[in-house]
């Protein structure tokens, strides 16, 4: 299966997404093994650690559906355009991905057809169920890349300059929380042509944002539930601000 949907028939206007929810490698991809150690498969290079739990809980608080990928971003990255050179990563944060080194066009097309395209078809269908849909993408980031400076933010809000209407009020609301360091398009820019937000929100005029939580803060189910409960009312208030 390429995806999981929680709460498809919930009545809320949000669509919560988690593009990098899983580090699963299907058995038809190199026998279910990308050729890297289990410790690497547990790292941020293979999935967004803790993000799935936050997304599921957030959907429950917002009474809205959640879609989660069921495959590792190292198999194929659903948060990239089909023509993006990083769609199938061969090297990521110092780790070579042996099963991807010689993945040619036929193999990439197979992964697109069996994983990437079904995920995006389901995403598009859920997004279209309400004309006032708001998309909030949940991701997580590592506290530091190898040989790089520490990242001080607790939460990053990522967005494109093409549509700042929801993310700007969200950043303002989050910065009212005195104990948090909030990244404005940090730890990286939120504008990536062809990515999931571009495809399902920007091109169709849907309100959107991408929330990144530092993954050392959401390592347990209790921490994931805590952050979802904290973020839900802030998201709701920011949407009211955006539409005032």
């Amino acid at each position: 299966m390429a995806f999981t949907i929680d709460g498809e028939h919930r009545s809320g206007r949000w669509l919560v997404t988690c593009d990098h929810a899983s580090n699963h490698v299907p058995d038809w991809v190199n026998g279910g093994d990308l050729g890297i150690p289990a410790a690497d498969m547990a790292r941020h290079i293979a999935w967004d650690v803790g993000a799935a739990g936050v997304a599921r809980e957030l959907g429950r608080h917002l009474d809205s559906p959640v879609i989660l990928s069921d495959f590792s971003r190292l198999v194929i990255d659903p948060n990239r355009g089909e023509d993006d050179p990083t769609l199938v990563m061969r090297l990521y944060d110092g780790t070579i991905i042996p099963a991807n080194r010689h993945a040619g066009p036929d193999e990439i097309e197979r992964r697109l057809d069996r994983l990437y395209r079904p995920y995006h078809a389901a995403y598009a269908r859920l997004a279209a169920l309400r004309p006032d849909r708001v998309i909030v993408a949940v991701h997580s980031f590592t506290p530091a890349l190898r040989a790089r400076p520490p990242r001080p933010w607790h939460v990053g809000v990522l967005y494109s300059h093409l549509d700042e209407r929801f993310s700007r009020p969200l950043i303002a609301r989050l910065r009212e929380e005195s104990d948090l360091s909030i990244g404005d398009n940090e730890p990286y820019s939120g504008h990536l042509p062809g990515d999931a937000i571009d495809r399902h929100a920007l091109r169709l005029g849907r309100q959107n944002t991408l929330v990144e939580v530092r993954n050392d803060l959401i390592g347990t189910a209790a921490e994931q539930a805590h952050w979802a409960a904290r973020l839900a009312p802030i998201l709701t208030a920011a949407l009211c601000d955006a539409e005032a």
Side-chain angles (χ1 to χ4, degrees):
M1 192 67 175
F3 57 87
T4 297
I5 296 171
D6 275 5
E8 177 168 351
H9 301 295
R10 290 172 183 156
S11 60
R13 67 181 290 196
W14 304 84
L15 174 59
V16 180
T17 71
C18 192
D19 299 323
H20 301 145
S22 174
N23 60 356
H24 174 64
V25 180
D27 58 9
W28 51 267
V29 177
N30 203 53
D33 187 343
L34 295 177
I36 64 176
D40 273 334
M41 286 302 298
R43 291 203 303 134
H44 68 98
I45 64 171
W47 62 329
D48 280 359
V49 177
V54 175
R56 289 179 188 273
E57 287 294 310
L58 191 58
R60 186 175 62 81
H61 283 286
L62 297 173
D63 191 30
S64 294
V66 183
I67 184 168
L68 309 101
S69 68
D70 276 347
F71 54 93
S72 172
R73 66 191 299 173
L74 293 180
V75 174
I76 193 163
D77 193 335
N79 197 34
R80 297 291 185 270
E82 289 196 17
D83 59 351
D84 192 302
T86 64
L87 180 68
V88 175
M89 294 289 282
R90 290 163 172 80
L91 173 69
Y92 192 4
D93 195 22
T95 296
I96 294 171
I97 318 302
N100 292 347
R101 289 185 69 182
H102 304 295
D106 289 347
E107 174 60 19
I108 292 172
E109 187 67 20
R110 188 168 70 127
R111 299 182 194 184
L112 284 166
D113 277 343
R114 295 186 65 170
L115 299 171
Y116 179 103
R117 289 173 183 147
Y119 173 76
H120 281 287
Y123 191 142
R125 182 180 62 79
L126 290 171
L129 290 177
R130 287 187 61 138
D132 60 348
R133 186 67 88 195
V134 181
I135 295 176
V136 56
V138 177
H139 291 251
S140 70
F141 64 96
T142 185
L145 295 171
R146 286 179 173 172
R148 300 291 293 275
R151 292 162 160 176
W153 312 282
H154 300 98
V155 177
V157 176
L158 276 56
Y159 56 92
S160 169
H161 63 281
L162 299 175
D163 186 0
E164 303 177 0
R165 58 191 158 142
F166 178 43
S167 295
R168 288 290 186 191
L170 177 58
I171 291 167
R173 286 279 181 173
L174 284 165
R175 284 181 171 167
E176 292 176 358
E177 305 287 307
S178 61
D179 60 326
L180 297 183
S181 174
I182 305 301
D184 181 340
N185 262 343
E186 297 285 1
Y188 20 73
S189 169
H191 181 67
L192 183 62
D195 72 0
I197 288 291
D198 182 37
R199 178 172 181 166
H200 298 286
L202 297 180
R203 297 180 191 177
L204 297 165
R206 294 186 177 114
Q207 295 218 62
N208 66 88
T209 196
L210 190 155
V211 176
E212 294 259 4
V213 184
R214 205 175 69 208
N215 68 24
D216 61 326
L217 303 175
I218 51 173
T220 68
E223 290 169 337
Q224 293 155 20
H226 165 79
W227 275 94
R230 186 170 188 179
L231 289 169
I234 297 172
L235 286 161
T236 301
L239 183 60
C240 290
D241 296 342
E243 296 184 335

PDB file of all heavy atoms in Angstrom, residues 1-8 15-18 21-22 52 56 65-71 118-119 122-123 125-126:
ATOM      1  N   MET A   1       0.839  -1.191   0.000  1.00  0.00           N
ATOM      2  CA  MET A   1       0.000   0.000   0.000  1.00  0.00           C
ATOM      3  C   MET A   1       0.883   1.254   0.000  1.00  0.00           C
ATOM      4  O   MET A   1       1.889   1.301   0.684  1.00  0.00           O
ATOM      5  CB  MET A   1      -0.907  -0.009   1.226  1.00  0.00           C
ATOM      6  CG  MET A   1      -2.017   1.010   1.193  1.00  0.00           C
ATOM      7  SD  MET A   1      -3.240   0.667  -0.090  1.00  0.00           S
ATOM      8  CE  MET A   1      -4.432   1.931   0.258  1.00  0.00           C
ATOM      9  N   ALA A   2       0.474   2.262  -0.732  1.00  0.00           N
ATOM     10  CA  ALA A   2       1.284   3.469  -0.852  1.00  0.00           C
ATOM     11  C   ALA A   2       0.961   4.518   0.202  1.00  0.00           C
ATOM     12  O   ALA A   2       1.755   5.433   0.425  1.00  0.00           O
ATOM     13  CB  ALA A   2       1.094   4.080  -2.241  1.00  0.00           C
ATOM     14  N   PHE A   3      -0.193   4.396   0.865  1.00  0.00           N
ATOM     15  CA  PHE A   3      -0.615   5.447   1.792  1.00  0.00           C
ATOM     16  C   PHE A   3      -1.603   4.876   2.800  1.00  0.00           C
ATOM     17  O   PHE A   3      -2.192   3.812   2.600  1.00  0.00           O
ATOM     18  CB  PHE A   3      -1.267   6.612   1.034  1.00  0.00           C
ATOM     19  CG  PHE A   3      -2.449   6.194   0.200  1.00  0.00           C
ATOM     20  CD1 PHE A   3      -3.731   6.138   0.746  1.00  0.00           C
ATOM     21  CD2 PHE A   3      -2.286   5.836  -1.130  1.00  0.00           C
ATOM     22  CE1 PHE A   3      -4.811   5.722  -0.013  1.00  0.00           C
ATOM     23  CE2 PHE A   3      -3.363   5.429  -1.902  1.00  0.00           C
ATOM     24  CZ  PHE A   3      -4.633   5.376  -1.342  1.00  0.00           C
ATOM     25  N   THR A   4      -1.783   5.639   3.891  1.00  0.00           N
ATOM     26  CA  THR A   4      -2.810   5.373   4.886  1.00  0.00           C
ATOM     27  C   THR A   4      -3.622   6.651   5.059  1.00  0.00           C
ATOM     28  O   THR A   4      -3.055   7.751   5.057  1.00  0.00           O
ATOM     29  CB  THR A   4      -2.183   4.981   6.232  1.00  0.00           C
ATOM     30  OG1 THR A   4      -1.458   3.761   6.073  1.00  0.00           O
ATOM     31  CG2 THR A   4      -3.234   4.800   7.310  1.00  0.00           C
ATOM     32  N   ILE A   5      -4.924   6.497   5.198  1.00  0.00           N
ATOM     33  CA  ILE A   5      -5.795   7.636   5.466  1.00  0.00           C
ATOM     34  C   ILE A   5      -6.456   7.424   6.816  1.00  0.00           C
ATOM     35  O   ILE A   5      -7.032   6.367   7.074  1.00  0.00           O
ATOM     36  CB  ILE A   5      -6.866   7.803   4.369  1.00  0.00           C
ATOM     37  CG1 ILE A   5      -6.217   8.125   3.021  1.00  0.00           C
ATOM     38  CG2 ILE A   5      -7.871   8.899   4.758  1.00  0.00           C
ATOM     39  CD1 ILE A   5      -7.184   8.098   1.856  1.00  0.00           C
ATOM     40  N   ASP A   6      -6.362   8.426   7.673  1.00  0.00           N
ATOM     41  CA  ASP A   6      -7.073   8.432   8.952  1.00  0.00           C
ATOM     42  C   ASP A   6      -8.221   9.429   8.859  1.00  0.00           C
ATOM     43  O   ASP A   6      -8.032  10.569   8.412  1.00  0.00           O
ATOM     44  CB  ASP A   6      -6.143   8.887  10.080  1.00  0.00           C
ATOM     45  CG  ASP A   6      -5.324   7.759  10.659  1.00  0.00           C
ATOM     46  OD1 ASP A   6      -5.393   6.634  10.128  1.00  0.00           O
ATOM     47  OD2 ASP A   6      -4.590   8.006  11.640  1.00  0.00           O
ATOM     48  N   GLY A   7      -9.407   9.013   9.272  1.00  0.00           N
ATOM     49  CA  GLY A   7     -10.515   9.945   9.421  1.00  0.00           C
ATOM     50  C   GLY A   7     -11.000  10.573   8.133  1.00  0.00           C
ATOM     51  O   GLY A   7     -11.323  11.768   8.103  1.00  0.00           O
ATOM     52  N   GLU A   8     -11.112   9.766   7.088  1.00  0.00           N
ATOM     53  CA  GLU A   8     -11.508  10.317   5.788  1.00  0.00           C
ATOM     54  C   GLU A   8     -12.824  11.084   5.859  1.00  0.00           C
ATOM     55  O   GLU A   8     -13.005  12.076   5.144  1.00  0.00           O
ATOM     56  CB  GLU A   8     -11.626   9.200   4.762  1.00  0.00           C
ATOM     57  CG  GLU A   8     -12.095   9.678   3.403  1.00  0.00           C
ATOM     58  CD  GLU A   8     -11.943   8.641   2.311  1.00  0.00           C
ATOM     59  OE1 GLU A   8     -11.307   7.583   2.561  1.00  0.00           O
ATOM     60  OE2 GLU A   8     -12.439   8.886   1.204  1.00  0.00           O
ATOM     61  N   LEU A  15      -6.855  19.480   5.741  1.00  0.00           N
ATOM     62  CA  LEU A  15      -6.258  18.209   5.323  1.00  0.00           C
ATOM     63  C   LEU A  15      -4.851  18.186   5.886  1.00  0.00           C
ATOM     64  O   LEU A  15      -4.020  19.036   5.531  1.00  0.00           O
ATOM     65  CB  LEU A  15      -6.220  18.061   3.800  1.00  0.00           C
ATOM     66  CG  LEU A  15      -5.482  16.814   3.277  1.00  0.00           C
ATOM     67  CD1 LEU A  15      -6.111  15.537   3.815  1.00  0.00           C
ATOM     68  CD2 LEU A  15      -5.436  16.798   1.753  1.00  0.00           C
ATOM     69  N   VAL A  16      -4.611  17.255   6.798  1.00  0.00           N
ATOM     70  CA  VAL A  16      -3.282  17.100   7.399  1.00  0.00           C
ATOM     71  C   VAL A  16      -2.532  16.052   6.580  1.00  0.00           C
ATOM     72  O   VAL A  16      -3.060  14.957   6.332  1.00  0.00           O
ATOM     73  CB  VAL A  16      -3.386  16.662   8.876  1.00  0.00           C
ATOM     74  CG1 VAL A  16      -1.998  16.507   9.483  1.00  0.00           C
ATOM     75  CG2 VAL A  16      -4.224  17.668   9.671  1.00  0.00           C
ATOM     76  N   THR A  17      -1.326  16.378   6.167  1.00  0.00           N
ATOM     77  CA  THR A  17      -0.546  15.450   5.352  1.00  0.00           C
ATOM     78  C   THR A  17       0.789  15.142   6.024  1.00  0.00           C
ATOM     79  O   THR A  17       1.318  15.959   6.776  1.00  0.00           O
ATOM     80  CB  THR A  17      -0.279  16.021   3.946  1.00  0.00           C
ATOM     81  OG1 THR A  17       0.669  17.101   4.029  1.00  0.00           O
ATOM     82  CG2 THR A  17      -1.563  16.526   3.307  1.00  0.00           C
ATOM     83  N   CYS A  18       1.295  13.948   5.740  1.00  0.00           N
ATOM     84  CA  CYS A  18       2.616  13.556   6.231  1.00  0.00           C
ATOM     85  C   CYS A  18       3.317  12.809   5.105  1.00  0.00           C
ATOM     86  O   CYS A  18       3.131  11.599   4.934  1.00  0.00           O
ATOM     87  CB  CYS A  18       2.495  12.704   7.490  1.00  0.00           C
ATOM     88  SG  CYS A  18       4.072  12.467   8.348  1.00  0.00           S
ATOM     89  N   ALA A  21       6.086   9.853   6.317  1.00  0.00           N
ATOM     90  CA  ALA A  21       5.586   9.226   7.539  1.00  0.00           C
ATOM     91  C   ALA A  21       6.273   7.917   7.887  1.00  0.00           C
ATOM     92  O   ALA A  21       6.255   7.492   9.037  1.00  0.00           O
ATOM     93  CB  ALA A  21       4.083   8.987   7.406  1.00  0.00           C
ATOM     94  N   SER A  22       6.866   7.246   6.899  1.00  0.00           N
ATOM     95  CA  SER A  22       7.324   5.866   7.088  1.00  0.00           C
ATOM     96  C   SER A  22       8.744   5.671   6.561  1.00  0.00           C
ATOM     97  O   SER A  22       9.164   6.341   5.614  1.00  0.00           O
ATOM     98  CB  SER A  22       6.371   4.923   6.340  1.00  0.00           C
ATOM     99  OG  SER A  22       6.832   3.593   6.370  1.00  0.00           O
ATOM    100  N   ALA A  52       4.619  11.293  11.831  1.00  0.00           N
ATOM    101  CA  ALA A  52       3.362  10.572  11.627  1.00  0.00           C
ATOM    102  C   ALA A  52       2.469  10.653  12.861  1.00  0.00           C
ATOM    103  O   ALA A  52       1.256  10.881  12.748  1.00  0.00           O
ATOM    104  CB  ALA A  52       3.640   9.115  11.262  1.00  0.00           C
ATOM    105  N   ARG A  56      -1.246  12.348  12.911  1.00  0.00           N
ATOM    106  CA  ARG A  56      -2.461  11.613  13.288  1.00  0.00           C
ATOM    107  C   ARG A  56      -3.203  12.311  14.425  1.00  0.00           C
ATOM    108  O   ARG A  56      -4.436  12.454  14.388  1.00  0.00           O
ATOM    109  CB  ARG A  56      -2.096  10.190  13.708  1.00  0.00           C
ATOM    110  CG  ARG A  56      -1.640   9.284  12.579  1.00  0.00           C
ATOM    111  CD  ARG A  56      -1.291   7.899  13.130  1.00  0.00           C
ATOM    112  NE  ARG A  56      -0.679   7.023  12.145  1.00  0.00           N
ATOM    113  CZ  ARG A  56      -1.356   6.248  11.295  1.00  0.00           C
ATOM    114  NH1 ARG A  56      -2.682   6.267  11.324  1.00  0.00           N
ATOM    115  NH2 ARG A  56      -0.722   5.461  10.441  1.00  0.00           N
ATOM    116  N   PRO A  65      -9.326  14.938   8.047  1.00  0.00           N
ATOM    117  CA  PRO A  65      -8.607  13.765   7.548  1.00  0.00           C
ATOM    118  C   PRO A  65      -7.096  13.960   7.517  1.00  0.00           C
ATOM    119  O   PRO A  65      -6.580  15.086   7.438  1.00  0.00           O
ATOM    120  CB  PRO A  65      -9.168  13.576   6.134  1.00  0.00           C
ATOM    121  CG  PRO A  65      -9.680  14.918   5.743  1.00  0.00           C
ATOM    122  CD  PRO A  65     -10.146  15.572   7.001  1.00  0.00           C
ATOM    123  N   VAL A  66      -6.421  12.822   7.554  1.00  0.00           N
ATOM    124  CA  VAL A  66      -4.954  12.789   7.519  1.00  0.00           C
ATOM    125  C   VAL A  66      -4.536  11.773   6.455  1.00  0.00           C
ATOM    126  O   VAL A  66      -5.083  10.665   6.408  1.00  0.00           O
ATOM    127  CB  VAL A  66      -4.370  12.351   8.883  1.00  0.00           C
ATOM    128  CG1 VAL A  66      -2.842  12.398   8.866  1.00  0.00           C
ATOM    129  CG2 VAL A  66      -4.940  13.196  10.017  1.00  0.00           C
ATOM    130  N   ILE A  67      -3.581  12.141   5.619  1.00  0.00           N
ATOM    131  CA  ILE A  67      -2.990  11.174   4.698  1.00  0.00           C
ATOM    132  C   ILE A  67      -1.509  11.045   4.999  1.00  0.00           C
ATOM    133  O   ILE A  67      -0.814  12.051   5.201  1.00  0.00           O
ATOM    134  CB  ILE A  67      -3.232  11.533   3.212  1.00  0.00           C
ATOM    135  CG1 ILE A  67      -2.668  10.432   2.306  1.00  0.00           C
ATOM    136  CG2 ILE A  67      -2.692  12.918   2.855  1.00  0.00           C
ATOM    137  CD1 ILE A  67      -3.105  10.528   0.854  1.00  0.00           C
ATOM    138  N   LEU A  68      -1.052   9.799   5.062  1.00  0.00           N
ATOM    139  CA  LEU A  68       0.341   9.498   5.408  1.00  0.00           C
ATOM    140  C   LEU A  68       0.924   8.554   4.368  1.00  0.00           C
ATOM    141  O   LEU A  68       0.268   7.593   3.947  1.00  0.00           O
ATOM    142  CB  LEU A  68       0.431   8.838   6.786  1.00  0.00           C
ATOM    143  CG  LEU A  68      -0.290   9.535   7.940  1.00  0.00           C
ATOM    144  CD1 LEU A  68      -1.621   8.844   8.238  1.00  0.00           C
ATOM    145  CD2 LEU A  68       0.572   9.550   9.205  1.00  0.00           C
ATOM    146  N   SER A  69       2.141   8.800   3.953  1.00  0.00           N
ATOM    147  CA  SER A  69       2.831   7.882   3.046  1.00  0.00           C
ATOM    148  C   SER A  69       3.146   6.584   3.778  1.00  0.00           C
ATOM    149  O   SER A  69       3.311   6.573   5.004  1.00  0.00           O
ATOM    150  CB  SER A  69       4.124   8.509   2.531  1.00  0.00           C
ATOM    151  OG  SER A  69       5.062   8.634   3.593  1.00  0.00           O
ATOM    152  N   ASP A  70       3.250   5.493   3.030  1.00  0.00           N
ATOM    153  CA  ASP A  70       3.610   4.192   3.606  1.00  0.00           C
ATOM    154  C   ASP A  70       4.940   3.670   3.055  1.00  0.00           C
ATOM    155  O   ASP A  70       5.164   2.465   3.038  1.00  0.00           O
ATOM    156  CB  ASP A  70       2.512   3.167   3.323  1.00  0.00           C
ATOM    157  CG  ASP A  70       1.379   3.221   4.338  1.00  0.00           C
ATOM    158  OD1 ASP A  70       1.547   3.872   5.380  1.00  0.00           O
ATOM    159  OD2 ASP A  70       0.326   2.606   4.081  1.00  0.00           O
ATOM    160  N   PHE A  71       5.802   4.573   2.604  1.00  0.00           N
ATOM    161  CA  PHE A  71       7.081   4.157   2.029  1.00  0.00           C
ATOM    162  C   PHE A  71       8.147   5.195   2.364  1.00  0.00           C
ATOM    163  O   PHE A  71       7.855   6.374   2.558  1.00  0.00           O
ATOM    164  CB  PHE A  71       6.965   3.976   0.509  1.00  0.00           C
ATOM    165  CG  PHE A  71       6.409   5.180  -0.212  1.00  0.00           C
ATOM    166  CD1 PHE A  71       7.252   6.149  -0.749  1.00  0.00           C
ATOM    167  CD2 PHE A  71       5.038   5.348  -0.353  1.00  0.00           C
ATOM    168  CE1 PHE A  71       6.740   7.259  -1.404  1.00  0.00           C
ATOM    169  CE2 PHE A  71       4.511   6.450  -1.024  1.00  0.00           C
ATOM    170  CZ  PHE A  71       5.364   7.411  -1.552  1.00  0.00           C
ATOM    171  N   PRO A 118      -0.003   6.797  -6.763  1.00  0.00           N
ATOM    172  CA  PRO A 118      -1.178   6.497  -5.935  1.00  0.00           C
ATOM    173  C   PRO A 118      -1.303   7.414  -4.712  1.00  0.00           C
ATOM    174  O   PRO A 118      -2.413   7.819  -4.343  1.00  0.00           O
ATOM    175  CB  PRO A 118      -0.959   5.039  -5.529  1.00  0.00           C
ATOM    176  CG  PRO A 118      -0.110   4.470  -6.617  1.00  0.00           C
ATOM    177  CD  PRO A 118       0.803   5.585  -7.022  1.00  0.00           C
ATOM    178  N   TYR A 119      -0.179   7.730  -4.083  1.00  0.00           N
ATOM    179  CA  TYR A 119      -0.204   8.652  -2.939  1.00  0.00           C
ATOM    180  C   TYR A 119      -0.773   9.994  -3.358  1.00  0.00           C
ATOM    181  O   TYR A 119      -1.674  10.551  -2.710  1.00  0.00           O
ATOM    182  CB  TYR A 119       1.197   8.802  -2.361  1.00  0.00           C
ATOM    183  CG  TYR A 119       1.315   9.857  -1.281  1.00  0.00           C
ATOM    184  CD1 TYR A 119       0.830   9.620   0.009  1.00  0.00           C
ATOM    185  CD2 TYR A 119       1.904  11.090  -1.542  1.00  0.00           C
ATOM    186  CE1 TYR A 119       0.932  10.594   1.004  1.00  0.00           C
ATOM    187  CE2 TYR A 119       2.003  12.060  -0.556  1.00  0.00           C
ATOM    188  CZ  TYR A 119       1.518  11.814   0.706  1.00  0.00           C
ATOM    189  OH  TYR A 119       1.613  12.779   1.692  1.00  0.00           O
ATOM    190  N   ALA A 122      -4.571   9.944  -4.138  1.00  0.00           N
ATOM    191  CA  ALA A 122      -5.382   9.957  -2.923  1.00  0.00           C
ATOM    192  C   ALA A 122      -5.350  11.334  -2.264  1.00  0.00           C
ATOM    193  O   ALA A 122      -6.384  11.836  -1.774  1.00  0.00           O
ATOM    194  CB  ALA A 122      -4.882   8.886  -1.955  1.00  0.00           C
ATOM    195  N   TYR A 123      -4.193  11.952  -2.225  1.00  0.00           N
ATOM    196  CA  TYR A 123      -4.013  13.308  -1.679  1.00  0.00           C
ATOM    197  C   TYR A 123      -4.938  14.270  -2.426  1.00  0.00           C
ATOM    198  O   TYR A 123      -5.697  15.042  -1.808  1.00  0.00           O
ATOM    199  CB  TYR A 123      -2.545  13.669  -1.872  1.00  0.00           C
ATOM    200  CG  TYR A 123      -1.983  14.889  -1.210  1.00  0.00           C
ATOM    201  CD1 TYR A 123      -0.689  14.858  -0.684  1.00  0.00           C
ATOM    202  CD2 TYR A 123      -2.667  16.097  -1.142  1.00  0.00           C
ATOM    203  CE1 TYR A 123      -0.105  15.975  -0.106  1.00  0.00           C
ATOM    204  CE2 TYR A 123      -2.094  17.223  -0.566  1.00  0.00           C
ATOM    205  CZ  TYR A 123      -0.817  17.157  -0.048  1.00  0.00           C
ATOM    206  OH  TYR A 123      -0.236  18.270   0.515  1.00  0.00           O
ATOM    207  N   ARG A 125      -7.610  13.652  -4.179  1.00  0.00           N
ATOM    208  CA  ARG A 125      -9.027  13.342  -3.944  1.00  0.00           C
ATOM    209  C   ARG A 125      -9.486  13.904  -2.606  1.00  0.00           C
ATOM    210  O   ARG A 125     -10.558  14.528  -2.514  1.00  0.00           O
ATOM    211  CB  ARG A 125      -9.231  11.828  -3.985  1.00  0.00           C
ATOM    212  CG  ARG A 125     -10.675  11.397  -3.794  1.00  0.00           C
ATOM    213  CD  ARG A 125     -10.824   9.889  -3.836  1.00  0.00           C
ATOM    214  NE  ARG A 125     -10.089   9.219  -2.777  1.00  0.00           N
ATOM    215  CZ  ARG A 125     -10.520   9.133  -1.516  1.00  0.00           C
ATOM    216  NH1 ARG A 125     -11.682   9.688  -1.153  1.00  0.00           N
ATOM    217  NH2 ARG A 125      -9.810   8.482  -0.615  1.00  0.00           N
ATOM    218  N   LEU A 126      -8.698  13.706  -1.556  1.00  0.00           N
ATOM    219  CA  LEU A 126      -9.060  14.229  -0.240  1.00  0.00           C
ATOM    220  C   LEU A 126      -9.094  15.754  -0.238  1.00  0.00           C
ATOM    221  O   LEU A 126      -9.986  16.369   0.350  1.00  0.00           O
ATOM    222  CB  LEU A 126      -8.076  13.737   0.814  1.00  0.00           C
ATOM    223  CG  LEU A 126      -8.120  12.260   1.174  1.00  0.00           C
ATOM    224  CD1 LEU A 126      -6.942  11.907   2.071  1.00  0.00           C
ATOM    225  CD2 LEU A 126      -9.431  11.897   1.850  1.00  0.00           C
TER     226      LEU A 126
END
